[in-house]
Amino acid sequence: MRTSARELLGQLLDTDSFVSWDRPPVTVAASPQYRDALRKAAVAAGTDESVLTGEGLLRGRRVAVIACEFGFLAGSIGVAAAERIVSAVERATELGLPLVASPTSGGTRMQEGTVAFVQMVKIAGAVAAHKSAGHPYLVYLRNPTMGGVFASWGSLGHITFAEPGALIGFLGPRVYQALYGRPFPEGVQTAENLYRRGVIDGVLPIPVFRRIAHRALSVFSGVELPDSVAAQPVSDRRVGQPQMFESDANQGAAQQLRPDSPRIRAEADAVWQSVEISRRPQRPGIRELLRHVTQRVPLSGTGQGESDRTAVHALGRFRGQPCVVFGHDRRGQQGENTMGPAALREARRSMALAQELRLPLVLVIDTVGAALSKEAEERGLAPEIARCIADLVTLDTPTVSVLLGQGTGGGALALLPADRVLAATHGWLAPLPPEGASAIVFRDTDHAAELAAAQRISAADLLADGVVDRIVPEFPDAADEPVDFARRMVAAIAHELATLRARPESELLAARQARYRRLGLSGGTS
């Protein structure tokens, strides 16, 4: 059984105290099939989107609330849902209210592609601003909470609890099976296991979470509130069996994403060509860029006993412009050995170093995706992605992100939110590898090319949608001109750094937050 949004609100808040903040969902670009799917979802779920927001009383204390509705396209988050969430977070911040968020979601809404995926940046940014203003943010994860939702606003709570037996994880088991040909290990993506591993604070039914939230808010406020209920354990240690889900978000998506004309087929072929080019072993990566950077100082590890050889960390000068550099090392990624939690903690070290030294930060995206493994889930992969996104959106120093090659999933999104985003001609960004998206929508990997085109993952589409600011050309393929391409990219980065360093940092921060706040609305950014 899954708990609906209204059931959650009924058990969490005082009787009849909930007041909705929701306005009609913003209009998004949609095919006739997608509009029909939205209408059917509204009827099935009894809601107009996959999230409800508002305020109410929690044991007499006024709080803002955000609750996902899994019955609406599997609680997936697209532009309209993200706009509703961000508006609620901003209103809670303005009113000075504690915020309680309860996600349950399959992740990004596949019908809206990459522009839906990057909405997680602006949600995480709004939550980070709420917390920076000194207001509490409490999270209650419901069954299931997966993908980008778990790896962004679902992992940023001051305290985080989960529903007993909830399925919680970064990547859905079906995608793992499609990519690696074997099932994901059992018992890893459960609320109980994540509690035992220290990823979340406890596992509680809603009525007990209500009492714990009340106590937490009393502590946060500094004012002791009466609590007549006897102390309860902070975790229900019963081992529940999470209900594995097949993403209802994609019912009907397969039909609407099939190519229906030679033009669409040609577009799919062109995008897929870029994907294949980005995967060529000879393609230059971050190490080739650093060969053209002066005064290089290689760094290693988190400084706390961890290191990850899938990432590179250094100090250097791009055409005289000093900076901290962090990025994915395509040479170090083999099979399932991809960016893990330690690499993300190294990334956060680079962010802290840049801020402390008042140096710009350059981030290089070139990854097949974050690690998909039992160890990565249990060591807090998704929360580290969320923290990287939040840190980058609020960083007080100039930032440049470079989409150098493959840009898959949360591992790529963690390094994306910068003042300026550059992309190589054949760079791309997607919520999943195209083969994984095909496995979700079509239940096979044969439709990866058409999914890649439909989700607008290419550099040209990202530029049009406001995710990317500038494309650095390849003539025609960086693998065939590695030195010239590397020099061209280094010069482009240097130009952006010089321009950004000439602007006041306060102006940069405000512009960055406004940039990601607009993503997906009226053509994205300018």
Side-chain angles (χ1 to χ4, degrees):
M1 297 294 293
R2 296 192 182 100
T3 306
S4 72
R6 288 196 172 91
E7 288 171 336
L8 176 281
L9 295 172
Q11 295 182 57
L12 178 69
L13 300 177
D14 298 354
T15 303
D16 296 328
S17 68
F18 177 69
V19 177
S20 175
W21 287 352
D22 294 336
R23 297 178 179 178
V26 298
T27 302
V28 298
S31 66
Q33 296 93 333
Y34 182 29
R35 284 195 294 271
D36 185 56
L38 292 171
R39 285 192 294 269
K40 290 178 179 178
V43 172
T47 62
D48 61 356
E49 247 301 338
S50 62
V51 64
L52 302 179
T53 71
E55 65 172 275
L57 300 178
L58 197 162
R59 297 176 69 89
R61 175 183 286 275
R62 188 182 177 196
V63 297
V65 288
I66 297 171
C68 279
E69 175 49 68
F70 194 85
F72 191 104
L73 296 181
S76 58
I77 303 300
V79 172
E83 179 63 18
R84 178 170 287 183
I85 292 168
V86 171
S87 295
V89 176
E90 292 174 339
R91 185 168 177 177
T93 306
E94 182 181 352
L95 294 173
L97 294 179
L99 178 58
V100 182
S102 183
T104 172
S105 174
T108 298
R109 189 165 299 172
M110 288 291 156
Q111 291 93 331
E112 296 180 28
T114 295
V115 73
F117 177 51
V118 297
Q119 298 302 304
M120 304 307 168
V121 172
K122 74 180 185 183
I123 298 174
V127 170
H130 180 81
K131 293 167 65 178
S132 295
H135 307 309
Y137 180 58
L138 287 61
V139 174
Y140 184 72
L141 306 170
R142 293 170 17 245
N143 180 47
T145 302
M146 304 295 292
V149 171
F150 182 42
S152 58
W153 55 289
S155 290
L156 293 174
H158 288 111
I159 63 172
T160 304
F161 290 82
E163 188 174 43
L167 175 70
I168 299 170
F170 179 58
L171 186 72
R174 190 198 303 165
V175 177
Y176 184 91
Q177 173 87 38
L179 294 177
Y180 298 114
R182 61 181 181 275
F184 194 78
E186 292 186 5
V188 175
Q189 295 177 318
T190 69
E192 288 76 10
N193 184 53
L194 295 184
Y195 164 65
R196 287 192 294 268
R197 300 290 176 173
V199 178
I200 62 176
D201 295 305
V203 183
L204 308 168
I206 298 170
V208 180
F209 174 72
R210 168 179 157 88
R211 294 195 286 270
I212 294 297
H214 171 260
R215 293 174 190 164
L217 293 174
S218 173
V219 173
F220 294 153
S221 70
V223 178
E224 185 171 1
L225 300 176
D227 188 351
S228 60
V229 182
Q232 298 288 336
V234 297
S235 175
D236 178 1
R237 290 177 171 79
R238 294 173 298 167
V239 178
Q241 295 299 319
Q243 183 177 1
M244 306 300 282
F245 72 97
E246 300 296 330
S247 181
D248 303 322
N250 302 295
Q251 291 182 356
Q255 183 61 39
Q256 70 192 64
L257 293 175
R258 292 186 188 279
D260 56 6
S261 72
R263 178 185 61 80
I264 295 178
R265 182 70 261 171
E267 291 175 358
D269 290 343
V271 173
W272 190 246
Q273 182 182 27
S274 283
V275 172
E276 291 183 319
I277 287 173
S278 74
R279 292 172 172 174
R280 286 186 65 185
Q282 303 86 355
R283 187 174 180 82
I286 187 172
R287 292 185 182 277
E288 284 71 30
L289 295 189
L290 288 175
R291 291 192 183 110
H292 302 279
V293 171
T294 60
Q295 297 181 323
R296 296 187 306 276
V297 179
L299 305 174
S300 179
T302 62
Q304 299 176 351
E306 293 181 290
S307 65
D308 191 318
R309 298 308 175 191
T310 68
V312 171
H313 190 188
L315 305 176
R317 285 182 179 270
F318 284 72
R319 301 289 192 271
Q321 297 295 325
C323 63
V324 178
V325 184
F326 180 87
H328 305 120
D329 182 7
R330 62 186 294 116
R331 308 285 182 234
Q333 301 176 66
Q334 300 291 333
E336 295 180 56
N337 181 37
T338 58
M339 185 182 204
L344 291 158
R345 286 188 270 272
E346 283 193 58
R348 295 183 68 211
R349 178 194 172 194
S350 75
M351 296 171 200
L353 189 63
Q355 181 150 314
E356 290 169 3
L357 297 174
R358 316 311 302 169
L359 287 174
L361 176 65
V362 175
L363 300 149
V364 178
I365 299 170
D366 194 3
T367 180
V368 296
L372 312 176
S373 67
K374 175 180 184 292
E375 293 74 21
E377 294 277 2
E378 293 178 343
R379 289 171 55 214
L381 175 68
E384 285 300 332
I385 292 172
R387 294 177 192 122
C388 277
I389 295 170
D391 287 354
L392 267 181
V393 173
T394 57
L395 199 65
D396 285 330
T397 194
T399 53
V400 175
S401 183
V402 181
L403 188 54
L404 193 60
Q406 300 185 79
T408 299
L413 195 66
L415 306 188
L416 179 72
D419 297 310
R420 294 284 289 177
V421 180
L422 311 185
T425 298
H426 298 296
W428 53 272
L429 178 70
L432 290 170
E435 296 88 345
S438 179
I440 287 181
V441 176
F442 295 100
R443 298 178 182 271
D444 60 41
T445 59
D446 300 334
H447 300 81
E450 60 201 71
L451 253 299
Q455 293 189 323
R456 298 178 61 80
I457 74 171
S458 71
D461 286 331
L462 296 172
L463 182 66
D465 290 338
V467 178
V468 161
D469 299 298
R470 176 181 176 185
I471 294 177
V472 177
E474 303 177 39
F475 297 122
D477 177 347
D480 297 326
E481 47 142 12
V483 173
D484 288 345
F485 170 77
R487 288 173 174 166
R488 200 156 52 243
M489 182 61 81
V490 167
I493 294 169
H495 172 77
E496 299 295 347
L497 291 175
T499 302
L500 292 172
R501 291 181 70 207
R503 298 175 62 183
E505 289 181 359
S506 59
E507 179 184 308
L508 284 178
L509 181 59
R512 186 190 315 145
Q513 292 174 340
R515 166 196 179 93
Y516 290 100
R517 180 65 181 83
R518 295 195 304 269
L519 269 179
L521 301 175
S522 302
T525 61
S526 57

